[in-house]
Amino acid sequence: MNTSSAQPTSKSHLPRLACWRLALGSILIIALQCLMWDTELYIYDEGIILTGAQALQRGLLPYRDFWTMYAPGQFYLTAWLFSIFGQQEYLVRVIGIVAKTVIILMASMQLRRFAGRNYWRRLAIAGTGIVVLLGLLIGVRFDAFPAFPATAFAVAALILMENALAASSGTQKTRRLLAAGILTALVVCFRHDLGFYTAATLSIGAAYVWRTRVPQPAWRDIGRALGAYAAGIAILGVPVVAYFLWHVPLRDLYENLVEIPAFIYPAVRRLPLPGAAQLAYYVNALHQPGSAWSAMLRGSFEFSIYAPFLAAIPTLVFAALALRRQKNAPHPALPFVFLAALLCLAFTIKGLVRAHPLHMAQSLVLAVPVALLFLLCVWDMARGTRRAALALAIAPACALLLFSALHGFGQGQRRFAHMWLNTQMLAYCAAPAAQNMRCADAYSTFGARYVQAAALVRRHSAPGEPIYIAAGRHDKLMLNAVLLYFMADRPPATKWYELHPGVQTRAATQADMVAHMRRHPPRAVLVDTNWDDAAEPNASARSSGAHILDEWLAACYEEKEQQGSIRLLAPRAAAASDVRCALRAQ
């Protein structure tokens, strides 16, 4: 009697227990990331998001009023947080920390789900996934990167698509496909390239999995199912696209979201993949006294860009063949593993241009569950020599991911020791060096330079007066300190305020910038020469030969003050009457 009544009570506590586990896990993962908080100022990429969100609050629109290669989602989410908490730099980092936490939790839940009923096996698989993912995401840093929320939505769409494949009823399948489509549209809102890869990959992958089933569904039925997925994308995607098509000229949308990211960016910013020279450097470092472990971790992190290929390719082949051979009763993890490996491989396309773990982050985080579930499937499905050979095939990817995670924890530990053990973090949050830079290390030599520059701009301009943050030269450039617009709380004088090689180095763009600044003359121009000598091994290191903007600034502005590598320019006395300058607000 007591036994029968206790059983339902135990089951009723399971959802509540799962919620408590999820809540505690979230708090722990967020707390660890906060303790290893990255306080470095990211004057360019982070500045793009913060200044763009600030522009939205002024009533401006991306693509029409300011150019950007980013999708609009991160700007609007940051602007919404500004409206609640005020304009603070740390808010854009909170978005990344929450997104990273969601990625880790979703991946661990899938690992636990497919690990079987054995408690210790589930703990080992899920625990390993959590630790490796947390270390990797701490290591790549840059919490403001829009790829993190985009990846979180993509992983959620992947899970729902796999759930739809396993759905027992048509209604259940349709609902999950619609939800997966809506989540894919959210990916597009944060990273339009990753959204396209997600939609294409999940559609192709789902069609393949369905065609391996017995009885084999007709293409017409598969088309209906994928139509539900496409309908989910359209529910959110069509209104967003229609809004921007209505408010932004089509030429601007094409230039910002297609021409520059698809043609100019790869041609100008492509970095070579790490190869023999880097490998020889780290191998030599292994023989240096006391540096072997550090060299192994740093080398693994640099070469981790190959981990998604090393994990996804063997997994994809294995899962594709296994699904065809086990049509009647496939291993429960195979459909998810196949879709995840396919998505992981598609996401590497973005990272091939900028060969760095940050730009491979979206594929690195997928490589972890892919590698672990591959090992799980191999353990359950193979025996003897075949099991050993398959495990050996994934070993290089596992090693790179593990050592890269250890490298990330090492970086995090150093940040923790510097910021918390010395109690500096509390000071940065309680008494920030700049009003809207709370909890940022703006006291360091690097940070103080830009805090002083922002103060300089505020002294020489009034709120609402446009300014321009320039590079020392515009025929060849690396970046400009876009963050200064946010720190100084001044609007840019031109829609082209984010300087990018291949874009502002063009004569046509410079002419457009001059036209903008003649109509909205900047009260102050801040010239930061700190990055003029920086060069990458790509086309950005070459001069375009366009000097229109530099010549206009030289003719119409003069130096008023200098602080190190930063010079403040103000309009010349005769600029208002000079036909070349026409420095009158129109």
Side-chain angles (χ1 to χ4, degrees):
M1 189 70 157
N2 291 336
T3 304
S4 61
S5 62
Q7 187 67 16
T9 305
S10 175
K11 286 184 178 179
S12 68
H13 280 69
L14 288 178
R16 189 180 301 173
L17 182 61
C19 289
W20 276 109
R21 282 178 184 165
L22 186 63
L24 291 173
S26 302
I27 292 169
L28 180 60
I29 293 169
I30 290 173
L32 287 171
Q33 291 181 83
C34 290
L35 288 173
M36 299 177 186
W37 183 275
D38 182 12
T39 59
E40 182 180 343
L41 293 187
Y42 291 94
I43 61 166
Y44 183 68
D45 297 274
E46 196 168 280
I48 294 170
I49 300 299
L50 292 165
T51 304
Q54 212 174 42
L56 290 183
Q57 290 201 307
R58 295 188 179 107
L60 305 181
L61 268 183
Y63 318 121
R64 185 190 69 188
D65 301 316
F66 62 94
W67 92 279
T68 180
M69 287 188 284
Y70 284 145
Q74 190 90 335
F75 296 117
Y76 280 91
L77 179 56
T78 305
W80 175 69
L81 291 175
F82 282 174
S83 68
I84 299 173
F85 301 102
Q87 292 185 5
Q88 286 294 331
E89 182 262 359
Y90 72 83
L91 292 173
V92 76
R93 302 188 181 213
V94 169
I95 295 172
I97 288 175
V98 171
K100 289 178 179 181
T101 302
V102 171
I103 291 168
I104 294 169
L105 290 174
M106 286 192 297
S108 67
M109 289 167 67
Q110 295 308 300
L111 290 169
R112 190 172 179 272
R113 171 189 164 201
F114 293 118
R117 296 189 175 185
N118 184 285
Y119 173 79
W120 296 109
R121 177 164 133 156
R122 287 188 307 182
L123 182 64
I125 294 289
T128 301
I130 290 172
V131 170
V132 174
L133 280 170
L134 182 59
L136 278 172
L137 290 171
I138 288 173
V140 296
R141 306 192 300 175
F142 190 29
D143 297 320
F145 198 33
F148 296 126
T151 303
F153 288 125
V155 173
L158 164 67
I159 293 169
L160 279 168
M161 178 62 82
E162 186 274 332
N163 287 342
L165 293 173
S168 56
S169 70
T171 304
Q172 213 175 38
K173 178 188 293 184
T174 302
R175 286 175 180 172
R176 291 172 182 176
L177 287 168
L178 283 169
I182 292 170
L183 287 165
T184 301
L186 285 169
V187 181
V188 177
C189 290
F190 282 83
R191 283 297 301 262
H192 57 286
D193 52 347
L194 298 187
F196 172 77
Y197 301 147
T198 302
T201 299
L202 294 187
S203 299
I204 294 169
Y208 179 85
V209 173
W210 270 316
R211 289 292 289 179
T212 62
R213 297 285 170 81
V214 175
Q216 191 177 72
W219 281 111
R220 182 185 303 168
D221 297 328
I222 293 174
R224 288 197 191 100
L226 294 180
Y229 175 57
I233 297 174
I235 287 171
L236 179 62
V238 168
V240 171
V241 171
Y243 175 82
F244 284 102
L245 285 174
W246 180 261
H247 289 94
V248 182
L250 186 59
R251 170 59 192 162
D252 289 342
L253 285 174
Y254 176 78
E255 184 177 35
N256 284 236
L257 296 177
V258 180
E259 181 184 354
I260 294 174
F263 301 106
I264 295 176
Y265 180 78
V268 176
R269 300 300 304 276
R270 186 183 299 277
L271 290 175
L273 297 171
Q278 290 90 337
L279 184 60
Y281 169 80
Y282 288 113
V283 169
N284 290 333
L286 290 174
H287 297 92
Q288 301 298 320
S291 64
W293 180 248
S294 175
M296 182 179 293
L297 296 185
R298 286 186 290 108
S300 297
F301 185 70
E302 183 172 351
F303 279 86
S304 66
I305 65 165
Y306 294 109
F309 300 99
L310 296 172
I313 292 174
T315 302
L316 196 60
V317 174
F318 172 83
L321 295 176
L323 283 167
R324 286 206 169 275
R325 290 171 183 163
Q326 298 188 352
K327 294 182 179 181
N328 293 322
H331 189 285
L334 280 177
F336 181 83
V337 169
F338 177 78
L339 290 175
L342 197 60
L343 187 60
C344 176
L345 205 55
F347 277 0
T348 60
I349 297 172
K350 165 66 180 71
L352 288 176
V353 176
R354 303 287 291 173
H356 186 273
L358 171 64
H359 298 278
M360 279 285 190
Q362 62 278 351
S363 51
L364 279 169
V365 297
L366 280 169
V368 176
V370 164
L372 289 172
L373 288 175
F374 175 85
L375 288 172
L376 185 68
C377 290
V378 165
W379 182 263
D380 292 342
M381 298 169 60
R383 295 291 181 270
T385 306
R386 184 168 179 265
R387 176 190 285 178
L390 289 170
L392 192 62
I394 205 76
C398 294
L400 282 174
L401 293 169
L402 176 60
F403 284 116
S404 296
L406 293 175
H407 174 269
F409 281 121
Q411 283 191 319
Q413 185 272 331
R414 285 188 288 274
R415 292 200 294 268
F416 171 79
H418 174 68
M419 300 305 302
W420 292 98
L421 296 185
N422 297 330
T423 66
Q424 294 183 38
M425 188 66 184
L426 297 176
Y428 295 165
C429 293
Q435 183 179 1
N436 52 8
M437 299 298 291
R438 191 175 298 278
C439 301
D441 185 9
Y443 291 90
S444 64
T445 303
F446 179 80
R449 174 194 301 157
Y450 290 104
V451 169
Q452 292 165 5
L456 187 65
V457 170
R458 286 194 295 270
R459 285 201 305 271
H460 288 82
S461 62
E465 287 187 334
I467 64 169
Y468 175 58
I469 309 300
R473 53 188 289 194
H474 294 83
D475 62 308
K476 183 194 83 68
L477 52 83
M478 176 61 66
L479 53 84
N480 67 326
V482 188
L483 185 62
L484 276 172
Y485 291 108
F486 176 77
M487 294 175 71
D489 194 17
R490 299 291 187 269
T494 169
K495 66 177 287 186
W496 299 102
Y497 61 82
E498 172 202 333
L499 301 186
H500 192 283
V503 181
Q504 282 73 17
T505 53
R506 298 181 299 183
T509 305
Q510 290 188 19
D512 196 31
M513 293 173 73
V514 169
H516 272 262
M517 287 193 276
R518 291 182 70 180
R519 292 192 300 271
H520 308 284
R523 183 70 181 84
V525 173
L526 215 59
V527 180
D528 182 9
T529 60
N530 189 62
W531 306 98
D532 285 6
D533 295 329
E536 292 180 334
N538 52 37
S540 67
R542 298 193 294 270
S543 170
S544 67
H547 300 282
I548 297 172
L549 181 55
D550 291 328
E551 291 171 354
W552 184 81
L553 288 173
C556 304
Y557 284 78
E558 60 185 355
E559 183 177 323
K560 291 295 184 182
E561 198 169 335
Q562 182 169 1
Q563 291 181 353
S565 63
I566 297 176
R567 295 182 294 123
L568 177 79
L569 308 183
R572 293 184 183 276
S577 58
D578 192 330
V579 69
R580 294 174 300 174
C581 305
L583 294 181
R584 302 185 187 92
Q586 297 177 15

